[in-house]
Amino acid sequence: MGPDVPLLNEYKQEFFLKRFPQTLLGGPRFKLGYCAPPYVYVNQIILFLMPWVWGGVGTLLYQLGVMKDYYTAALSGGLMFVTALILQMTNLYAKQKTVTVERMQIQNTLTDEDEFEFSSCVGSETVKFIIPGKKYIINTVFHSLLAGVLCGLGTWYLLPNRITLLYSNIGGTVMIFVFGWVTICIGEYSLIINTATETATFQALDTYEITALMRPFYIFVFMAVDLAHRFAVNTPILEQTNQILHIIFLFLPFLWAMGILPPLDALFLWGMEQLLEFGLGGSPMSSNTKLLVMFLISAGTAIASYFIPSTLGVILFMTGFGFILSLNLSEIGFAFKHTMISHLASSKSKNMHRGLRIQFGWREFIFYLTVLTFALIEASLLHQFAGFSSFSKASPQAIVSYILIILLMTMWILREIQRVYLFGVFRNPFYPKDVRTVTVFMEKQRRLMKVGVVRRILLTLVSPFAMIAFLSLDRSLQNLHSVSVCIGFTRIFRMVWQNTENALLDIVVVSIAQMLVFNPDLWWNRSLDTGIRLLLVGILRDRVLQFVSKLQFAIAILLTSWTEKKQRRKSTTTLITLNVVFFPILLTFIAISALLSSPLLPLFTLPVFLIGFPRPVRSWPGPVGATACVCSDTVYYQQMVPSLALALQSALAAGSLGLSLPGSHYLCRFQDRLMWILVLEKGFTYCGVNIKGLELQETSCHAAEAHRVDELFEMAFEHQEHTKILSPNHHFGHILTPCTVLPVRLYSDARNVLSGIIDSHENLKHLKDDFIKVLVWMLVQYCYKKSKTWESPGNANMNKKRSFPENQHSSAVERSRPLREEDSFSVDTIEDWTDDSDIFDLEPSGRMKDRKEPGQLGTTPKVHLSIPGSVETQSQEVPQEMSPEDKLYRAVVLGLPAVDKGKQQEVLPQVEFSCSYSELLSIPEEWRTAPVPSSKVNEMRQRFPEEWYHFILSQLDFFHLKEKPSNLLEDLMKDKALKDLYIHGVLSCCFGLFGLDNTVPAPSHVFRAYTGGIPWSVGLDWLNSKPELFQLALKAFRYTFKLMVDKASLGPVENFKELVNYLEEYENDWYIGLVSDLEWQQAVLQEKPYLFSLGHDPNMGIYTGRVLTLQELLVQVGKLNDEAVRGQWANLSWELLYATNDDEERYSIQAHPVLLRNLTVQAADPPLGYPVYSSELLHLPLF
């Protein structure tokens, strides 16, 4: 697709132009797209202005001095409440009336679903169109009551006298009064009349009608400040805030329409997350429940610290709870629950939980207990004996500050030295060059691994204790019962463990500021204690980093919209010019976005930037890993994720992935696989991540971006051009920065063209002989494994006799005479149907006279195969001579109802073995009933590989038999009856797969036989009726084909021993089949070492072989620009949930090699994205 593909197609443009005015005004539908009577628009205008009318009545009574201001508010609110209830009751009545009418009418299916037929001004259709009503009765009452309160407080909020007191300006009063009531009318309309679709949409579905409460909520927030100002006397800050908010109140419709203010669900989740992280020192959580529970516990801890009477008690309480809350409490709770179940529950419960991975045991418990004990001892001793001195250059706290500065620089250097690029700009000279194989990489990586171990010790043990020493020596802790001390120090004592690296940076910044600023009268030293300073520095650090990331993202979009030719649209020049001219405004937007911690939204991913609404770090409302677009490729990610998680565990602990915080995104690449990693939680010695797998069937857009990713990683890890010291990163500015490579146990995928092998006449000529050998081996192995269930030949006899009718005696069983070649395929025998046979011919009476009923004694009846789809009948006696009428009458039997013949047993003559133990290797009786002529049996006897057969038997050990003769194997080899059984079994399978001719199979026939798609034949029909034998034959043929490929590639097989080794390797280490087989997916999950599949490209006319090999290989990992991902996801959410632009060829999903736009869209949570795999939350221990 070209760069000028429409942003919205024509239908969506019309839809958007109808929806946006409705969103702007709060719900009125003035642009319908079809003709509607004028009263539809008039009714909506009246309902829109109704709150203003009731508020105007109250305002007028107040201005005339008839009523007090609060009575006025009560009157307006009461009138609005009654009006809202009447409107909702009217809607319920219209719905009931419509239901009654619809039962008598036939709905016109040709009518547009969005089009209404209006009958009158107050008709049921008109009422339903204007007032859709509520889904729940409780909302009908609650929203009506809320509408009354909103109107009453709005009247009070916009009283002219009150506004005049705030601004002392008549013109300003009129403006605020008029446009303020417009804002209230918009909020009221969306609450009780018709809720507009919001541009700020977090949930795809509004199940509980929360969207209607969004606009009234923000109006109530403004009014709450006004109420606080009314009742709080002499508060200048509140007065100034109230003045500012009255002005902002007028712009609320604009903020709603632009989607800057978040919906309520996103607002509360974002608010809790921000308070937990920056106010209480915690970490964002992976689920809403965990976030709420952790927020309540953390807030309770901060409040409890306020009431502790002694400073030592406060220190111990903050240190202890800060450490405990920074641990992975959900996993610890799960481990404790598992331990209790193991001790108290039944054995069934034990077995049920045995397979679960427990990451918290006695070793971890002792480690955590030891660390906590030393932390408490250190904090108490330092505070008790050295915590009263003020900060100076020689004070104990200053000495600890010097240590912290050294620690910060050391850890920063140790972290950067493990990455392939320093600062993302210059290549690290210490990083291994030309990284291609695991062994070479691990050998060169040893020094860096030692660096990682040192850094891990410094991060996990040294730094937290050094920071606790700094905090315990602070004089601010002497001020008990101070809210600022409780909040600030509760936060930092927890952050020391929860987010050690950022806490270390914050403390170093504060300590350097204290060293540089010793003036006690300065605001920094006079008004703020150390805890609040650290809180402010922490917020400032986070917002500055967000600002830088957002600025990089914005510049990348601006530059690539011109430098990338495929992104250059007709409007590009205009948009770039506007961004350059209004660059200060762009910087303001970026600053506001960073301040709110909300994504910077590039509209349609063009250089048109908006402020997205604040939302949680994980960006999506649903539970982690709950949904994915599962397909056949999912298993490859399921197999590799456990190994990838282990590799990530060591990389995150060592610091080779850079500074990983909740909200960090990483991209992993191996061959055609792309793994998207999102960090969700971070704490002391643990990290919670979600891993997604992207599609393997590459589209053109996917392939273009994947190719650029490969270029980035090849330039970083595989090129030999890094001889220069500090060579630059040629892709600096790309949203992906390579970090390192990880050794992961996964499948490598190799695809080869089999031209010259499958179409080689020499190879195909030997295919049948090899198939016979492989099939003999497989049948012997099958029977041998089955014989292990029998302890002795006596048991075998007993099992064998059970398959015969109870009244059948071996002495009465006669050998059936062999079929003659000349009559084996005649119509008279009815034993095999051919295309030239007459289906109405019956078998001669001479053949039928000797037939007995199945229950009678005598000769075993022959097997008769009918034409597919026909109905067979049996009779004991048939006249020798039949008239044409009788013949026709017998033919009509074909149309009778079907008879279930599956219950009739086919009785075969018992085979007499010369060795009693041969019964252990006897093939099942039903496998000996193939309708093959005797000539083919004789021919198979000549082709049968007797030496190979004897060699296979000689390899059997029969260890499972308690008593066996010493010459057992020799007796088995001499048993001709047993050999005849295998000859018949092999011939039956050859008959089913190849037919009876001896021609060399064509490549197309080989491919069909491999896939199990051979055209129908009598032999195949018989083979399909024996599913177990068919599967063995198909498996043997696939082994034979793989053997042919190996012989062509590696050389001929030297002897029988080598051939057995090949077959045993296929059996134990290979899955040979089709990619579409369910067994293929199971083999991947079971981690079979090798998998082989045969494919065919009809367009190219070639046959291909695909081999998957399980081995430890290097997976390349890069860090993504977090804000670029959040910004593109914010646009995706707006574009699909609001603009409903789900066109598969839309501009915002086209390939963008720098922004990785297509891959980013794929990685979003369904239904907006479409990853083929998404893991649950993975807890990675980092110690």
Side-chain angles (χ1 to χ4, degrees), residues 134-166:
K134 306 295 180 183
K135 290 190 290 186
Y136 306 105
I137 297 298
I138 188 172
N139 282 342
T140 301
V141 179
F142 176 65
H143 290 184
S144 300
L145 179 62
L146 206 61
V149 175
L150 183 63
C151 185
L153 291 178
T155 304
W156 206 4
Y157 186 73
L158 294 175
L159 288 175
N161 286 356
R162 176 69 177 171
I163 300 173
T164 304
L165 288 175
L166 283 174

Short mmCIF file of all heavy atoms in Angstrom, two decimals, residues 134-166:
data_model
loop_
_atom_site.label_atom_id
_atom_site.label_comp_id
_atom_site.label_asym_id
_atom_site.label_seq_id
_atom_site.Cartn_x
_atom_site.Cartn_y
_atom_site.Cartn_z
N LYS A 134 -31.74 3.10 30.53
CA LYS A 134 -30.69 2.39 31.26
C LYS A 134 -30.94 0.88 31.23
O LYS A 134 -32.06 0.42 31.11
CB LYS A 134 -30.65 2.86 32.73
CG LYS A 134 -30.51 4.36 32.90
CD LYS A 134 -29.19 4.88 32.38
CE LYS A 134 -29.06 6.39 32.55
NZ LYS A 134 -27.80 6.91 31.99
N LYS A 135 -29.85 0.12 31.35
CA LYS A 135 -29.97 -1.33 31.35
C LYS A 135 -30.44 -1.85 32.70
O LYS A 135 -31.10 -2.89 32.77
CB LYS A 135 -28.61 -1.97 31.01
CG LYS A 135 -28.19 -1.77 29.57
CD LYS A 135 -26.96 -2.62 29.24
CE LYS A 135 -25.73 -2.11 29.92
NZ LYS A 135 -24.50 -2.83 29.49
N TYR A 136 -30.10 -1.15 33.77
CA TYR A 136 -30.42 -1.62 35.11
C TYR A 136 -31.34 -0.63 35.81
O TYR A 136 -31.16 0.59 35.71
CB TYR A 136 -29.14 -1.82 35.94
CG TYR A 136 -28.14 -2.71 35.27
CD1 TYR A 136 -27.00 -2.17 34.67
CD2 TYR A 136 -28.32 -4.09 35.21
CE1 TYR A 136 -26.06 -2.99 34.05
CE2 TYR A 136 -27.39 -4.91 34.59
CZ TYR A 136 -26.27 -4.36 34.01
OH TYR A 136 -25.35 -5.16 33.40
N ILE A 137 -32.30 -1.14 36.56
CA ILE A 137 -33.26 -0.29 37.28
C ILE A 137 -32.55 0.55 38.32
O ILE A 137 -32.88 1.73 38.52
CB ILE A 137 -34.35 -1.16 37.94
CG1 ILE A 137 -35.16 -1.91 36.87
CG2 ILE A 137 -35.28 -0.30 38.80
CD1 ILE A 137 -35.90 -1.00 35.93
N ILE A 138 -31.56 -0.02 38.98
CA ILE A 138 -30.85 0.73 40.01
C ILE A 138 -30.16 1.95 39.42
O ILE A 138 -30.10 3.02 40.06
CB ILE A 138 -29.85 -0.19 40.75
CG1 ILE A 138 -29.25 0.55 41.95
CG2 ILE A 138 -28.76 -0.68 39.80
CD1 ILE A 138 -28.40 -0.34 42.84
N ASN A 139 -29.66 1.82 38.19
CA ASN A 139 -29.04 2.98 37.54
C ASN A 139 -30.07 4.02 37.16
O ASN A 139 -29.78 5.22 37.12
CB ASN A 139 -28.27 2.53 36.30
CG ASN A 139 -26.93 1.90 36.64
OD1 ASN A 139 -26.42 2.09 37.75
ND2 ASN A 139 -26.37 1.15 35.72
N THR A 140 -31.28 3.59 36.87
CA THR A 140 -32.35 4.54 36.56
C THR A 140 -32.58 5.48 37.74
O THR A 140 -32.69 6.71 37.57
CB THR A 140 -33.64 3.78 36.24
OG1 THR A 140 -33.41 2.93 35.11
CG2 THR A 140 -34.78 4.74 35.93
N VAL A 141 -32.62 4.93 38.94
CA VAL A 141 -32.84 5.74 40.13
C VAL A 141 -31.57 6.51 40.51
O VAL A 141 -31.61 7.72 40.78
CB VAL A 141 -33.30 4.85 41.30
CG1 VAL A 141 -33.51 5.69 42.57
CG2 VAL A 141 -34.57 4.12 40.94
N PHE A 142 -30.44 5.80 40.52
CA PHE A 142 -29.20 6.43 40.96
C PHE A 142 -28.79 7.58 40.05
O PHE A 142 -28.41 8.66 40.53
CB PHE A 142 -28.10 5.37 41.03
CG PHE A 142 -26.75 5.92 41.37
CD1 PHE A 142 -26.51 6.49 42.62
CD2 PHE A 142 -25.71 5.88 40.45
CE1 PHE A 142 -25.26 7.00 42.92
CE2 PHE A 142 -24.46 6.38 40.75
CZ PHE A 142 -24.23 6.94 42.00
N HIS A 143 -28.84 7.38 38.74
CA HIS A 143 -28.45 8.43 37.81
C HIS A 143 -29.41 9.62 37.88
O HIS A 143 -28.99 10.78 37.72
CB HIS A 143 -28.39 7.88 36.39
CG HIS A 143 -27.24 6.92 36.17
ND1 HIS A 143 -26.94 6.37 34.94
CD2 HIS A 143 -26.30 6.43 37.03
CE1 HIS A 143 -25.90 5.57 35.05
NE2 HIS A 143 -25.50 5.59 36.31
N SER A 144 -30.69 9.34 38.11
CA SER A 144 -31.65 10.45 38.25
C SER A 144 -31.34 11.26 39.50
O SER A 144 -31.38 12.51 39.48
CB SER A 144 -33.07 9.90 38.30
OG SER A 144 -33.39 9.18 37.13
N LEU A 145 -31.06 10.57 40.60
CA LEU A 145 -30.70 11.27 41.84
C LEU A 145 -29.42 12.06 41.64
O LEU A 145 -29.32 13.22 42.09
CB LEU A 145 -30.53 10.25 42.96
CG LEU A 145 -30.14 10.80 44.34
CD1 LEU A 145 -31.22 11.74 44.87
CD2 LEU A 145 -29.90 9.67 45.33
N LEU A 146 -28.44 11.47 40.96
CA LEU A 146 -27.18 12.16 40.71
C LEU A 146 -27.40 13.39 39.83
O LEU A 146 -26.75 14.43 40.02
CB LEU A 146 -26.20 11.19 40.03
CG LEU A 146 -24.71 11.46 40.22
CD1 LEU A 146 -24.35 11.39 41.70
CD2 LEU A 146 -23.90 10.44 39.43
N ALA A 147 -28.32 13.28 38.87
CA ALA A 147 -28.63 14.42 38.01
C ALA A 147 -29.21 15.58 38.82
O ALA A 147 -28.89 16.75 38.58
CB ALA A 147 -29.60 14.00 36.91
N GLY A 148 -30.07 15.26 39.81
CA GLY A 148 -30.62 16.31 40.66
C GLY A 148 -29.55 16.98 41.49
O GLY A 148 -29.51 18.23 41.59
N VAL A 149 -28.66 16.19 42.08
CA VAL A 149 -27.58 16.76 42.89
C VAL A 149 -26.67 17.63 42.02
O VAL A 149 -26.23 18.72 42.42
CB VAL A 149 -26.78 15.63 43.57
CG1 VAL A 149 -25.58 16.21 44.31
CG2 VAL A 149 -27.67 14.85 44.52
N LEU A 150 -26.40 17.13 40.81
CA LEU A 150 -25.52 17.87 39.91
C LEU A 150 -26.12 19.22 39.53
O LEU A 150 -25.42 20.25 39.51
CB LEU A 150 -25.26 17.04 38.65
CG LEU A 150 -24.30 17.63 37.62
CD1 LEU A 150 -22.91 17.79 38.20
CD2 LEU A 150 -24.25 16.76 36.37
N CYS A 151 -27.41 19.23 39.25
CA CYS A 151 -28.07 20.48 38.87
C CYS A 151 -28.11 21.46 40.05
O CYS A 151 -27.89 22.66 39.88
CB CYS A 151 -29.48 20.19 38.35
SG CYS A 151 -30.35 21.63 37.74
N GLY A 152 -28.38 20.91 41.24
CA GLY A 152 -28.43 21.78 42.42
C GLY A 152 -27.08 22.41 42.73
O GLY A 152 -26.97 23.63 42.94
N LEU A 153 -26.02 21.58 42.76
CA LEU A 153 -24.70 22.12 43.04
C LEU A 153 -24.21 23.02 41.90
O LEU A 153 -23.48 23.98 42.13
CB LEU A 153 -23.71 20.97 43.24
CG LEU A 153 -23.90 20.13 44.51
CD1 LEU A 153 -22.90 19.00 44.57
CD2 LEU A 153 -23.77 21.01 45.76
N GLY A 154 -24.62 22.70 40.66
CA GLY A 154 -24.26 23.56 39.54
C GLY A 154 -24.88 24.94 39.66
O GLY A 154 -24.24 25.95 39.33
N THR A 155 -26.12 24.97 40.13
CA THR A 155 -26.78 26.27 40.35
C THR A 155 -26.02 27.08 41.39
O THR A 155 -25.80 28.29 41.24
CB THR A 155 -28.23 26.04 40.80
OG1 THR A 155 -28.90 25.24 39.83
CG2 THR A 155 -28.96 27.36 40.96
N TRP A 156 -25.62 26.38 42.45
CA TRP A 156 -24.88 27.04 43.52
C TRP A 156 -23.50 27.47 43.03
O TRP A 156 -22.99 28.53 43.39
CB TRP A 156 -24.74 26.04 44.68
CG TRP A 156 -24.58 26.71 46.03
CD1 TRP A 156 -24.62 28.04 46.30
CD2 TRP A 156 -24.34 26.05 47.26
NE1 TRP A 156 -24.42 28.28 47.62
CE2 TRP A 156 -24.25 27.05 48.26
CE3 TRP A 156 -24.20 24.74 47.65
CZ2 TRP A 156 -24.02 26.76 49.59
CZ3 TRP A 156 -23.98 24.46 48.99
CH2 TRP A 156 -23.89 25.45 49.94
N TYR A 157 -22.87 26.64 42.19
CA TYR A 157 -21.52 26.89 41.70
C TYR A 157 -21.47 28.10 40.77
O TYR A 157 -20.48 28.84 40.75
CB TYR A 157 -21.04 25.64 40.97
CG TYR A 157 -19.59 25.67 40.50
CD1 TYR A 157 -18.55 25.54 41.41
CD2 TYR A 157 -19.27 25.81 39.15
CE1 TYR A 157 -17.23 25.54 40.98
CE2 TYR A 157 -17.96 25.82 38.72
CZ TYR A 157 -16.94 25.68 39.64
OH TYR A 157 -15.63 25.70 39.22
N LEU A 158 -22.55 28.32 40.00
CA LEU A 158 -22.54 29.37 38.97
C LEU A 158 -23.45 30.55 39.31
O LEU A 158 -23.90 31.27 38.42
CB LEU A 158 -22.97 28.76 37.62
CG LEU A 158 -22.00 27.72 37.03
CD1 LEU A 158 -22.59 27.12 35.77
CD2 LEU A 158 -20.64 28.35 36.74
N LEU A 159 -23.72 30.76 40.60
CA LEU A 159 -24.48 31.95 40.99
C LEU A 159 -23.69 33.21 40.61
O LEU A 159 -22.50 33.31 40.92
CB LEU A 159 -24.75 31.94 42.48
CG LEU A 159 -25.80 30.92 42.97
CD1 LEU A 159 -25.89 30.93 44.48
CD2 LEU A 159 -27.17 31.20 42.34
N PRO A 160 -24.29 34.15 39.91
CA PRO A 160 -23.55 35.34 39.45
C PRO A 160 -22.88 36.10 40.57
O PRO A 160 -21.75 36.60 40.40
CB PRO A 160 -24.64 36.18 38.76
CG PRO A 160 -25.66 35.17 38.32
CD PRO A 160 -25.67 34.13 39.38
N ASN A 161 -23.55 36.24 41.71
CA ASN A 161 -22.94 36.96 42.83
C ASN A 161 -21.65 36.29 43.29
O ASN A 161 -20.65 36.95 43.61
CB ASN A 161 -23.91 37.05 44.01
CG ASN A 161 -25.02 38.05 43.75
OD1 ASN A 161 -25.02 38.73 42.72
ND2 ASN A 161 -25.98 38.14 44.67
N ARG A 162 -21.68 34.94 43.30
CA ARG A 162 -20.51 34.20 43.75
C ARG A 162 -19.34 34.40 42.76
O ARG A 162 -18.20 34.61 43.17
CB ARG A 162 -20.89 32.72 43.85
CG ARG A 162 -19.75 31.80 44.21
CD ARG A 162 -19.28 32.03 45.62
NE ARG A 162 -18.23 31.12 46.00
CZ ARG A 162 -17.53 31.21 47.13
NH1 ARG A 162 -17.79 32.21 47.98
NH2 ARG A 162 -16.60 30.34 47.42
N ILE A 163 -19.64 34.35 41.48
CA ILE A 163 -18.60 34.52 40.47
C ILE A 163 -18.03 35.93 40.52
O ILE A 163 -16.82 36.15 40.38
CB ILE A 163 -19.17 34.21 39.07
CG1 ILE A 163 -19.68 32.77 39.02
CG2 ILE A 163 -18.11 34.43 38.00
CD1 ILE A 163 -20.41 32.43 37.74
N THR A 164 -18.91 36.92 40.76
CA THR A 164 -18.46 38.30 40.84
C THR A 164 -17.51 38.50 42.01
O THR A 164 -16.52 39.25 41.93
CB THR A 164 -19.66 39.25 40.97
OG1 THR A 164 -20.55 39.01 39.88
CG2 THR A 164 -19.22 40.70 40.96
N LEU A 165 -17.78 37.82 43.15
CA LEU A 165 -16.89 37.92 44.30
C LEU A 165 -15.51 37.35 43.99
O LEU A 165 -14.51 37.81 44.52
CB LEU A 165 -17.50 37.16 45.50
CG LEU A 165 -18.70 37.83 46.18
CD1 LEU A 165 -19.27 36.92 47.27
CD2 LEU A 165 -18.27 39.17 46.79
N LEU A 166 -15.46 36.35 43.10
CA LEU A 166 -14.17 35.73 42.77
C LEU A 166 -13.34 36.61 41.84
O LEU A 166 -12.12 36.70 41.99
CB LEU A 166 -14.39 34.36 42.12
CG LEU A 166 -14.77 33.20 43.06
CD1 LEU A 166 -15.08 31.96 42.25
CD2 LEU A 166 -13.63 32.91 44.04
#
